[in-house]
Amino acid sequence: MNDPLSQFLARAETLLHRLDAWLPPAAPAIDWKKTLAARWQRHFQHGALLPVVAPQLVAWKSLRGIDEQKRELDRNTRQFVAGLPANNALLSGSRGCGKSSLVRAMLGRHAKQGLRLIEVDRADLVHLPEIAAAIAGQPYRFLVFCDDLSFEADDPAYKALKAALDGSIAGAPENMLIYATSNRRHLMPEFFSENAEASRHGGEVHPGESTEEKLSLADRFGLWLSFFPFDQDAYLDIVESWVVALGGEVDATMRREALQWAILRGGRSGRVARQFAADWVGRRGLKK
């Protein structure tokens, strides 16, 4: 045991034992019968699906002012749960208008029919093949959810998502769909200089290569749902529903202050309505 090779192997084994103490333990297999949602958690260059113990489900009736979007996404999700053809979905538009809440509401609405939710951060989309492999063959239907999605031109996750949506020879498993939300319709920044790349053929205008590249990702989502700022009546309706849900009282003073709150926040949205309701009901509770 005194030869150099034996000494080297002994030292290498000692070093590996020390490294093992620093590495996270292997994640246990998820029991999807008891687990409704999971997150992809990255460790160094690898990752694993970790169960979400108490997922924040959204009540279907609490989503107001987006009836058309609710109807379309629910129909697409019901097709998916039933084993029928369905599309990946992109929910884009104004901030705070219920995009991510609507996706989470799908879980509460269809969990009993076998729907499960996997949340993935934008930077971890490069691990989509690993996620697909982990759920392939499971008797459940999985929504891979990426919230507030946007890319820069050289982002490696951009190509990974394109391949997962449509373009990889492996393809996604039949029990997986991707639902994403974004404030950008085309998921990438758009610059005024790109208009100079456009060309005209006859009476038609053709976008340049940069614009075509940006459109190519959004085009891979079969279902597009757009969200817009609420008008005053819809905003006040949402405020009143939240105030009642939180145990408060609705009156003229509340409506006036709710409109002032929206002006200070720079817009009317479901998020702003919920924040005002929490403030209003909380302040009234302190006075009592």
Side-chain angles (χ1 to χ4, degrees):
M1 293 294 294
N2 293 324
D3 62 279
L5 178 59
S6 298
Q7 292 177 4
F8 172 77
L9 292 176
R11 291 177 180 176
E13 185 176 359
T14 302
L15 179 60
L16 289 175
H17 282 302
R18 291 178 179 176
L19 289 175
D20 283 341
W22 290 90
L23 294 175
I30 294 179
D31 182 358
W32 290 108
K33 185 176 182 180
K34 300 178 180 178
T35 302
L36 300 183
R39 281 185 57 86
W40 179 262
Q41 185 69 44
R42 181 165 44 174
H43 296 292
F44 299 101
Q45 297 301 318
H46 303 284
L49 288 173
L50 299 181
V52 176
V53 177
Q56 295 183 352
L57 304 182
V58 177
W60 185 252
K61 293 183 179 180
S62 70
L63 298 174
R64 293 171 175 259
I66 53 172
D67 292 341
E68 182 178 352
Q69 294 91 333
K70 288 171 62 176
R71 182 168 55 252
E72 287 298 304
L73 193 64
D74 185 58
R75 174 190 56 76
N76 191 68
T77 306
R78 284 189 288 111
Q79 291 172 203
F80 177 54
V81 172
L84 299 170
N87 280 306
N88 300 299
L90 174 61
L91 290 67
S92 64
S94 300
R95 65 187 190 277
C97 288
K99 299 185 295 294
S100 59
S101 294
L102 180 54
V103 175
R104 295 202 307 272
M106 292 296 108
L107 178 60
R109 192 165 171 82
H110 300 290
K112 291 183 179 180
Q113 288 74 44
L115 187 67
R116 299 294 184 264
L117 187 71
I118 296 174
E119 189 170 11
V120 182
D121 290 336
R122 178 195 57 78
D124 292 331
L125 289 173
V126 293
H127 296 284
L128 277 175
E130 298 172 58
I131 296 173
I135 62 176
Q138 289 283 346
Y140 298 92
R141 316 294 284 181
F142 294 89
L143 293 180
V144 174
F145 173 42
C146 190
D147 192 25
D148 198 19
L149 187 62
S150 64
F151 298 101
E152 299 302 326
D154 57 349
D155 197 324
Y158 169 78
K159 292 183 178 180
L161 180 57
K162 282 182 67 174
L165 289 170
D166 184 14
S168 170
I169 190 172
E174 58 86 24
N175 65 340
M176 184 182 95
L177 278 186
I178 297 174
Y179 281 6
T181 70
S182 178
N183 294 332
R184 292 171 171 170
R185 175 67 180 272
H186 297 139
L187 302 174
M188 297 182 70
E190 300 180 38
F191 302 100
F192 185 80
S193 59
E194 293 170 353
N195 292 331
E197 298 180 8
S199 59
R200 188 176 69 177
H201 298 281
E204 297 182 351
V205 176
H206 293 264
E209 291 184 0
S210 298
T211 303
E212 288 284 2
E213 173 65 18
K214 294 178 178 181
L215 290 173
S216 69
L217 177 58
D219 280 347
R220 281 170 161 80
F221 289 92
L223 179 62
W224 287 5
L225 297 176
S226 298
F227 291 71
F228 306 97
F230 297 122
D231 61 26
Q232 180 171 299
D233 291 339
Y235 168 70
L236 289 175
D237 178 61
I238 298 170
V239 169
E240 292 178 7
S241 69
W242 275 113
V243 168
V244 172
L246 295 173
E249 298 179 357
V250 175
D251 57 31
T253 302
M254 182 221 70
R255 296 185 180 89
R256 182 172 62 254
E257 291 193 21
L259 294 176
Q260 294 172 348
W261 181 282
I263 293 174
L264 292 174
R265 293 300 185 277
R268 296 183 291 261
S269 71
R271 180 180 299 142
V272 170
R274 184 178 69 249
Q275 291 169 347
F276 169 78
D279 180 78
W280 170 267
V281 175
R283 283 190 287 119
R284 294 302 178 277
L286 284 178
K287 290 182 178 180
K288 293 181 181 179

